Amino acid sequence: MNLRIVPGLGHKDLPKYEPRQNYEPRSKYHHNPGRSGRVARNIVLSVLTLLCFVVFINDDVKSTVVGLGSSPVPGTENVYFYDLNDFEGHPNGRDHDERLLICVPLRNAEPVLPMLFEHLHNMTYPHHLTDLAFLVSDTDDNTMTVLKRLLDESLKKNAPGGPFNQGTILEKDFGQVIGQGFDDRHGVKVQGARRKLMGKARNWLLSASLQPYHTWVYWRDADIETAPTTIIEDLMKHNQDVIVPNVWRPLPEWLGSEQPYDLNSWQESGAALELAKTLDEDEVIVEGYAEYATWRPHLAYFRDANGNVDDLIELDGIGGVSILARSKVFRHGANFPGFAFENHAETEAFGKMSRKMGFKVGGLLHYTVWHQYEPSEDDLKKMKEMEEAKLKKTEKKKANKNVNA
Amino acid sequence: MNLRIVPGLGHKDLPKYEPRQNYEPRSKYHHNPGRSGRVARNIVLSVLTLLCFVVFINDDVKSTVVGLGSSPVPGTENVYFYDLNDFEGHPNGRDHDERLLICVPLRNAEPVLPMLFEHLHNMTYPHHLTDLAFLVSDTDDNTMTVLKRLLDESLKKNAPGGPFNQGTILEKDFGQVIGQGFDDRHGVKVQGARRKLMGKARNWLLSASLQPYHTWVYWRDADIETAPTTIIEDLMKHNQDVIVPNVWRPLPEWLGSEQPYDLNSWQESGAALELAKTLDEDEVIVEGYAEYATWRPHLAYFRDANGNVDDLIELDGIGGVSILARSKVFRHGANFPGFAFENHAETEAFGKMSRKMGFKVGGLLHYTVWHQYEPSEDDLKKMKEMEEAKLKKTEKKKANKNVNA
């Protein structure tokens, strides 16, 4: 173990939030309309999506000649100028009116969009300094229609928490064949291909939305259930070039109530470097699987529920659930490799690449965001068994009661 | 040798140009005002540059809230939508109104700017589909003022060849200590650090200027002396994801009249792969130096002045003098590594990275652009000696004449 602890900044400005300790089996954002309901809903949504595209895809929007700035340099027709030396980024960015770009990759995300936008509205980083950008990929649910409505509302004058500055929706299909269910996404065999594809998707989103005036970029997964509203400021103040919080998830009580979720934030280990030497250069090491025994120190496992939320360690690989980065990291050329970079892809490779380029990459040991719990097929089976057992018990009790009566 | 020749497309649409065969010692773009003239000029230019910055750097331009599109999606306040599936790029891009971004990195480029803009004006790819973006780095000459004037002129209605659509000037200093003279730039020891820095500069330029509607990106060095005006169409028609022409330079007659210039376009060799295994992972292989005997087939050496201009070979590394690339290559995440990627950096690593990501990377064997000849210190010494010898000869003749008279 080679844990490089960086002294915390003290407790004086603790983020105001209570970590989720218990699993709530169904939130207001989840619908389970049953099979026939789903079919009917899908038909309605397909028609709406089609209609939406007829409105969206028109030449006025897509081929209009537009500028980087709203007004050209005085005395010129159409010349725009940016001194990029001015966009380095301060730990107290809001005091310097530093512009933030929030990037959210989406795929069949309709059920979680209301939750996502509630989180966005509650964020305390000034909304007028913040642009929102979404990439919708390989989606066959109603993500696009719902997103357009919620994004539009979040830009309106009466938006809760104040209107965001601008919103961009990008659409790009990668033709992926991997499903989006928990088991589809988490089998070891598909991980390498999946991570490479997700890396490419992130790069598409970034390259089409990053503007010269953005100083910070925040990557946020749509399926975070609980997070501090002050997360931007809380991450920014540590003056890292790339920084992530700890990411856990709540569990049903019979599964232990909570669990480390994101195992992609880690420090490099000798064992993993030795392992990498034995792998094909295109193979991707995946954390959390017996096939890849890296013995790396994972950020997630160091969490102490009562620990100092400002305790920071250096990281080599990072997870993508919630990343704050200075935009200069991307401008220098670091991004989310869509190929095996030092036997990693996507966010883990982004961490390694950023380190290689001399940037500071850190993770907060005890400051935690909570990922949504999605039951695996095994969990669902177990839940069904438990429900049946409970039912049987009740019936038995009832029968006994009847016999005794 | 493992030269993979791709059959040419035939001679039917030869670009209309004559390769430069002879060296012209001084073009109209070069001034040599002498030492006192230079000092006076520098003072004037410094004052102008300062004035220019007072005009340029004002909050109106730099912090104005701007959008990606000139008008939002109908029915929304400020939502912009782009279907990026529509921007794949056709070999006949102009027939599809495909938008082109031309990226030009600059450093102390004042003397060559008029030549560069003459080339740009003469380009036949529709100017109204073309945006121009420049990055000015670590510059202490008058590049910024001249650039602003020439760029502004090129966007005006009466610009030769028609106005370009938009121009962007970005400024970013990297604090490099390496000089820009021929010898400063071409010593083997500084090459690695220099190439990494140039890679970063290209990434800054790209990440601040690439917009969702750009389908193609053309990288052009400012110091190209002769190039076909149809170069965009000529490169585009080959349907490669990344493509470069051959790059030579004219020489004084006593040096052989002409010479291959860009040795960064090559196919990988077994010898180089073996060599790479012996190097530190941060070391950069530099072509054209005895220290790195790669025995790679270089695009430059295969040129035949009478060859078919459409003959194409696959490449692994590429040079940066003149690159046409589909923007999707960058959106997927390929860029110009500012670190040693497989023991290469900048454009050579860009070629390797693009190949790794499955993109088609090609080079034209006989289609040639001509880089400006900059005499090395040795050349200048030799020229001086030749001039002195000539003078001596004349004086001797004169003396003999006087004796004979």
Side-chain angles (χ1 to χ4, degrees):
Chain A
M1 292 274 186
N2 176 28
L3 196 66
R4 291 151 287 178
I5 304 266
V6 178
L9 300 176
H11 279 83
K12 66 181 189 298
D13 36 18
L14 265 175
K16 296 165 196 72
Y17 79 104
E18 289 298 318
R20 274 287 305 274
Q21 298 292 345
N22 299 308
Y23 172 61
E24 268 177 31
R26 187 172 296 177
S27 91
K28 61 179 164 167
Y29 306 114
H30 297 267
H31 316 286
N32 188 8
R35 198 172 185 283
S36 62
R38 276 201 301 275
V39 170
R41 193 191 62 179
N42 284 345
I43 293 172
V44 173
L45 297 192
S46 301
V47 173
L48 281 174
T49 307
L50 271 173
L51 279 174
C52 160
F53 269 80
V54 172
V55 175
F56 268 17
I57 300 181
N58 70 73
D59 284 349
D60 283 339
V61 177
K62 285 198 294 171
S63 63
T64 314
V65 168
V66 292
L68 286 170
S70 65
S71 60
V73 170
T76 72
E77 294 258 324
N78 199 13
V79 176
Y80 295 83
F81 174 80
Y82 296 93
D83 182 351
L84 296 175
N85 295 306
D86 287 358
F87 296 86
E88 285 289 309
H90 300 81
N92 54 342
R94 58 184 298 158
D95 298 338
H96 297 265
D97 284 342
E98 286 172 2
R99 302 273 300 269
L100 169 72
L101 172 68
I102 298 185
C103 289
V104 186
L106 296 172
R107 185 170 163 233
N108 283 339
E110 185 191 352
V112 293
L113 283 178
M115 178 172 76
L116 169 67
F117 273 87
E118 203 170 301
H119 283 307
L120 292 173
H121 288 309
N122 288 336
M123 278 190 183
T124 55
Y125 196 81
H127 292 197
H128 71 279
L129 297 175
T130 305
D131 295 333
L132 306 176
F134 303 84
L135 177 72
V136 179
S137 304
D138 303 282
T139 288
D140 52 17
D141 74 358
N142 206 25
T143 295
M144 192 60 92
T145 313
V146 176
L147 174 61
K148 191 201 150 221
R149 180 173 55 75
L150 292 173
L151 180 55
D152 188 34
E153 283 170 15
S154 76
L155 301 171
K156 284 201 156 80
K157 274 183 193 122
N158 58 352
F164 287 99
N165 175 58
Q166 191 186 71
T168 304
I169 300 173
L170 303 160
E171 192 183 24
K172 166 71 186 169
D173 295 326
F174 298 91
Q176 56 192 0
V177 284
I178 307 153
Q180 188 70 348
F182 187 88
D183 294 289
D184 292 331
R185 280 158 41 201
H186 292 259
V188 67
K189 280 183 190 158
V190 299
Q191 281 292 319
R194 183 177 160 266
R195 296 298 299 277
K196 289 176 187 174
L197 206 60
M198 286 172 64
K200 288 175 188 170
R202 285 186 193 271
N203 293 333
W204 275 78
L205 174 48
L206 184 78
S207 65
S209 58
L210 184 66
Q211 296 298 323
Y213 43 75
H214 290 129
T215 302
W216 298 90
V217 182
Y218 179 57
W219 292 87
R220 173 85 168 215
D221 275 4
D223 41 11
I224 288 185
E225 195 168 279
T226 312
T229 58
T230 52
I231 189 160
I232 302 295
E233 296 92 326
D234 297 340
L235 296 175
M236 203 179 274
K237 73 176 182 188
H238 290 282
N239 204 20
Q240 299 286 297
D241 298 312
V242 179
I243 185 170
V244 294
N246 211 323
V247 184
W248 278 48
R249 64 169 179 169
L251 287 182
E253 256 175 63
W254 57 270
L255 274 172
S257 295
E258 62 182 34
Q259 188 183 41
Y261 177 77
D262 188 343
L263 300 183
N264 296 336
S265 294
W266 39 257
Q267 291 185 345
E268 190 51 284
S269 69
L273 291 174
E274 286 305 312
L275 173 67
K277 284 181 193 161
T278 68
L279 302 177
D280 183 85
E281 68 161 14
D282 288 328
E283 191 166 349
V284 172
I285 295 175
V286 193
E287 288 297 320
Y289 292 86
E291 289 88 334
Y292 298 103
T294 62
W295 302 103
R296 285 168 174 154
H298 292 91
L299 181 67
Y301 289 115
F302 287 99
R303 174 173 171 262
D304 172 352
N306 302 312
N308 181 343
V309 290
D310 288 328
D311 282 350
L312 181 87
I313 58 169
E314 283 184 357
L315 291 178
D316 293 293
I318 61 163
V321 175
S322 165
I323 308 170
L324 182 72
R326 285 191 158 94
S327 57
K328 72 170 179 182
V329 176
F330 302 109
R331 295 196 200 287
H332 267 90
N335 60 17
F336 303 94
F339 53 87
F341 173 82
E342 297 182 1
N343 292 103
H344 285 284
E346 208 214 354
T347 58
E348 287 166 285
F350 168 61
K352 288 209 122 189
M353 195 180 264
S354 300
R355 287 296 298 270
K356 188 164 196 137
M357 296 179 77
F359 293 111
K360 285 187 288 181
V361 180
L364 294 173
L365 284 167
H366 313 302
Y367 185 99
T368 311
V369 305
W370 294 81
H371 194 275
Q372 199 178 47
Y373 166 64
E374 309 153 273
S376 68
E377 275 180 29
D378 277 349
D379 290 356
L380 289 171
K381 209 171 140 192
K382 174 79 179 164
M383 282 175 183
K384 203 180 161 195
E385 283 168 15
M386 286 169 72
E387 206 166 328
E388 281 166 2
K390 201 175 165 187
L391 201 68
K392 216 178 256 176
K393 214 173 161 185
T394 318
E395 276 167 5
K396 208 175 169 184
K397 255 190 190 166
K398 217 173 165 184
N400 283 345
K401 218 177 177 181
N402 287 346
V403 169
N404 294 346
Chain B
M1 293 274 186
N2 175 28
L3 196 66
R4 291 151 287 177
I5 303 268
V6 178
L9 300 176
H11 279 83
K12 65 181 190 296
D13 36 18
L14 264 175
K16 295 166 197 71
Y17 80 104
E18 289 297 318
R20 274 287 305 275
Q21 297 293 345
N22 299 309
Y23 172 61
E24 269 177 32
R26 186 172 296 178
S27 91
K28 61 180 164 167
Y29 306 114
H30 297 266
H31 316 287
N32 188 7
R35 198 173 185 285
S36 62
R38 275 201 301 275
V39 170
R41 193 190 62 180
N42 284 346
I43 293 172
V44 173
L45 297 192
S46 301
V47 173
L48 282 174
T49 307
L50 272 173
L51 280 173
C52 160
F53 270 80
V54 172
V55 175
F56 268 17
I57 300 181
N58 70 73
D59 284 350
D60 284 339
V61 177
K62 286 198 293 172
S63 62
T64 314
V65 168
V66 292
L68 287 170
S70 65
S71 60
V73 170
T76 72
E77 293 258 325
N78 198 13
V79 176
Y80 295 83
F81 174 79
Y82 296 93
D83 182 351
L84 296 175
N85 295 306
D86 286 359
F87 296 87
E88 285 289 309
H90 300 81
N92 55 341
R94 57 184 299 157
D95 298 338
H96 297 265
D97 285 342
E98 286 172 2
R99 302 273 300 270
L100 169 72
L101 172 68
I102 298 185
C103 288
V104 186
L106 296 172
R107 185 170 163 234
N108 283 340
E110 185 191 353
V112 294
L113 283 178
M115 178 172 75
L116 169 67
F117 273 87
E118 203 170 301
H119 283 307
L120 292 173
H121 288 309
N122 288 336
M123 277 190 183
T124 55
Y125 196 81
H127 292 195
H128 71 279
L129 297 175
T130 305
D131 294 334
L132 306 176
F134 303 84
L135 177 72
V136 179
S137 304
D138 303 281
T139 288
D140 52 16
D141 74 358
N142 206 25
T143 296
M144 193 60 93
T145 313
V146 177
L147 174 61
K148 190 201 149 221
R149 180 173 54 76
L150 292 173
L151 180 55
D152 188 34
E153 284 170 15
S154 76
L155 301 171
K156 284 202 156 79
K157 275 185 192 121
N158 59 352
F164 287 99
N165 175 58
Q166 191 186 71
T168 304
I169 300 173
L170 303 160
E171 192 183 23
K172 167 71 186 169
D173 295 326
F174 298 90
Q176 56 192 358
V177 284
I178 307 153
Q180 188 71 349
F182 187 89
D183 293 289
D184 292 331
R185 280 157 42 201
H186 292 260
V188 66
K189 281 183 189 159
V190 299
Q191 281 292 318
R194 183 177 159 266
R195 297 297 300 277
K196 288 176 186 174
L197 206 60
M198 287 172 63
K200 287 175 188 170
R202 285 185 193 271
N203 293 333
W204 275 78
L205 174 48
L206 184 79
S207 65
S209 58
L210 184 66
Q211 296 298 323
Y213 43 75
H214 290 129
T215 303
W216 298 91
V217 182
Y218 179 58
W219 293 86
R220 173 84 168 215
D221 275 4
D223 41 11
I224 288 184
E225 195 168 280
T226 313
T229 59
T230 52
I231 189 160
I232 302 296
E233 296 92 326
D234 297 341
L235 296 175
M236 203 180 273
K237 72 177 182 188
H238 290 281
N239 205 20
Q240 299 286 298
D241 298 313
V242 179
I243 185 169
V244 294
N246 210 323
V247 184
W248 278 48
R249 64 169 180 169
L251 286 182
E253 256 175 62
W254 57 270
L255 274 172
S257 295
E258 61 181 36
Q259 189 183 40
Y261 177 76
D262 188 343
L263 299 183
N264 296 336
S265 294
W266 38 257
Q267 291 185 345
E268 191 51 283
S269 70
L273 291 174
E274 286 305 313
L275 173 67
K277 283 181 194 162
T278 69
L279 302 177
D280 184 86
E281 68 161 16
D282 289 328
E283 191 166 349
V284 172
I285 295 175
V286 193
E287 288 297 320
Y289 292 86
E291 289 88 334
Y292 299 103
T294 62
W295 302 103
R296 285 169 174 153
H298 292 91
L299 181 67
Y301 289 115
F302 287 100
R303 174 173 171 262
D304 172 353
N306 302 312
N308 181 343
V309 290
D310 288 328
D311 282 350
L312 181 87
I313 59 169
E314 283 184 357
L315 291 178
D316 294 294
I318 61 163
V321 175
S322 165
I323 308 170
L324 182 72
R326 285 192 157 93
S327 57
K328 72 170 180 182
V329 176
F330 302 109
R331 295 196 200 287
H332 267 90
N335 60 17
F336 302 95
F339 53 86
F341 174 82
E342 297 182 1
N343 292 103
H344 284 284
E346 208 214 354
T347 57
E348 287 166 285
F350 168 61
K352 288 209 121 188
M353 195 180 263
S354 300
R355 288 295 298 271
K356 188 163 196 139
M357 296 179 77
F359 292 112
K360 285 187 288 181
V361 180
L364 295 173
L365 284 168
H366 314 302
Y367 185 99
T368 311
V369 305
W370 294 81
H371 195 274
Q372 199 178 47
Y373 165 65
E374 309 154 273
S376 68
E377 276 180 28
D378 278 349
D379 289 356
L380 289 171
K381 209 170 140 192
K382 174 79 179 163
M383 281 174 183
K384 203 181 162 195
E385 283 168 15
M386 285 169 72
E387 207 167 327
E388 281 167 1
K390 203 175 164 187
L391 201 67
K392 217 177 254 175
K393 214 173 160 185
T394 318
E395 275 168 4
K396 208 176 170 184
K397 255 190 191 166
K398 216 173 164 184
N400 284 345
K401 219 176 176 181
N402 288 345
V403 169
N404 293 347

